[in-house]
């Protein structure tokens, strides 16, 4: 089923890319993206990018159709390896190369935008936030996650394992419940500590501005309003850190008493896994673009360097959160309803 969804997604997006190629209009990235300074696709000309997107997406649609074929058709050897290599390369491109820091920024601002919208705060032009490039990034991430799931199922199936959970009855090693609990704990606390460090700098910035120790007009972080926005982002970073810790705490598995209507019920595994995975993708793709473009290094070397220093840890944050999420899933998934295996 997932492979068919991927085939449809890739066919639609590939058709759009063919339109970009044929008309020379609409390609959202590279030289056509005025705000793409921190993108890994910066500088990519439309005349090269559009046909590249079209070719990769059409090939992805064909590969997905093949993966959705009859289970008895099982590729082996080099053909299987080539298809997996192509598929996982496309997944990496869709999740880490196409998106940039704007997805993470909008995700961080979203609570403030939703809560403040009725009051006209913050004073922003939503047309400048929700842009054509941003829509394409979000669509790419959605397709990348679907493709990753389809590839995993096909990889499991062609290896003789359960297509749902990947178990085959052999020793699980690092993926066993006990092992995942051990290494997942370290990954979780690291993934929670980094956003807390980021939040502390934003709270310190706000305190300095309120006490008059800073005029709030640093060269790289200009304006009084942005101080409050930064504090808001810091507050939501703390919330994210607390939720991350929940990946290894009992209240992350069973709703606590104060959750009205759900107290005592089991927290669905995917309720934690899906948002945590999305955040890990957003953080990792943002950090790659910021680091390779030099934007983050310029901030770290400027007047407000202490505000940017925690952002240098974002690659570790993304990797740690991804591992913490995987460990949570492995530890809590239980017996597979399809094959009956557990552990």
């Amino acid at each position: 089923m997932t492979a068919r969804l991927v085939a449809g997604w890739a066919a639609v997006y590939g058709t759009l890319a063919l339109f970009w190629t044929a008309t020379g209009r609409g390609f959202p990235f590279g030289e056509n993206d005025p705000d793409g300074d921190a993108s890994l696709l910066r500088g990519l000309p439309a005349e090269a990018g559009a046909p590249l997107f079209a070719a990769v997406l059409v090939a992805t649609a064909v590969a997905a159709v093949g993966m959705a074929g009859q289970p008895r058709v099982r590729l082996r050897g080099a053909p299987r390896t080539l298809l997996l290599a192509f598929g996982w390369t496309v997944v990496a491109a869709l999740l880490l190369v196409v998106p940039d820091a704007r997805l993470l920024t909008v995700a961080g601002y979203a609570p403030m935008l939703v809560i403040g919208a009725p009051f006209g705060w913050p004073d922003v032009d939503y047309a400048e936030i929700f842009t054509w490039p941003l829509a394409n990034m979000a669509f790419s991430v959605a397709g990348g996650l679907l493709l990753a799931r389809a590839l995993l199922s096909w990889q499991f199936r062609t290896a003789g394992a359960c297509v749902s959970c990947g178990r085959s009855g052999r020793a699980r090693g690092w993926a066993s419940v006990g092992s995942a609990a051990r290494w997942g704990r370290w990954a979780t606390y690291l993934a929670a500590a980094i956003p807390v460090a980021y939040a502390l700098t934003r709270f310190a910035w706000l305190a300095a501005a309120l006490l008059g120790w800073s005029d709030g007009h640093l060269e790289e972080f200009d304006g009084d309003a942005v101080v409050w926005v930064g504090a808001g982002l810091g507050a939501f970073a703390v919330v994210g850190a607390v939720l991350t810790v929940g990946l290894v705490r009992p209240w992350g598995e069973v709703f606590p008493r104060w959750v009205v209507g759900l107290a005592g019920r089991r927290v669905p595994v995917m309720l934690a896994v899906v948002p945590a995975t999305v955040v890990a993708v957003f953080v990792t793709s943002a950090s790659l673009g910021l680091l390779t473009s030099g934007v983050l290094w310029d901030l770290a070397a400027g007047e407000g360097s202490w505000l940017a220093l925690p952002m240098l840890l974002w690659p570790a944050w993304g990797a740690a959160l991804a591992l913490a999420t995987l460990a949570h899933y492995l530890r809590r998934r239980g017996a597979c309803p399809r094959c009956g295996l557990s552990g």
Side-chain angles (χ1 to χ4, degrees), residues 194-270:
I194 295 175
V196 168
Y198 170 86
L200 290 176
T201 62
R202 269 52 191 174
F203 296 152
W205 185 20
L206 175 62
L210 292 176
L211 295 174
W213 297 341
S214 168
D215 60 7
H217 295 284
L218 298 178
E219 180 181 352
E220 292 87 354
F221 304 91
D222 190 28
D224 293 330
V226 77
V227 176
W228 287 97
V229 171
L233 290 175
F236 288 112
V238 171
V239 172
V242 172
L243 292 176
T244 300
V245 172
L247 294 174
V248 293
R249 300 299 300 166
W251 52 265
E253 300 182 19
V254 178
F255 286 107
R257 288 176 296 178
W258 53 264
V259 181
V260 179
L262 295 174
R265 296 187 180 183
R266 185 173 182 268
V267 177
V269 176
M270 289 299 136

Side-chain angles (χ1 to χ4, degrees), residues 58-100:
V58 169
T60 300
V62 173
V65 169
M67 289 189 293
Q70 293 297 321
R72 63 177 176 271
V73 179
R74 181 182 297 180
L75 290 181
R76 299 179 184 274
R80 177 178 182 271
T81 300
L82 288 174
L83 180 55
L84 287 174
F86 170 76
W88 287 115
T89 300
V90 174
V91 168
L94 292 171
L95 297 184
L96 303 179
V97 176
V98 175
D100 62 31

Side-chain angles (χ1 to χ4, degrees), residues 15-45:
T15 301
L16 182 59
L18 288 172
F19 172 81
W20 299 336
T21 304
T23 64
R25 300 193 306 270
F27 183 66
F29 303 116
E31 294 178 349
N32 285 359
D33 184 3
D35 300 316
D37 293 341
S39 170
L40 289 174
L41 298 177
R42 59 189 178 278
L44 178 65

Side-chain angles (χ1 to χ4, degrees), residues 281-299:
V281 169
F282 286 1
V283 170
T284 304
S285 60
S287 61
L288 290 176
L290 290 171
L291 289 171
T292 58
S293 67
V295 172
L296 191 52
W297 300 111
D298 292 340
L299 290 174

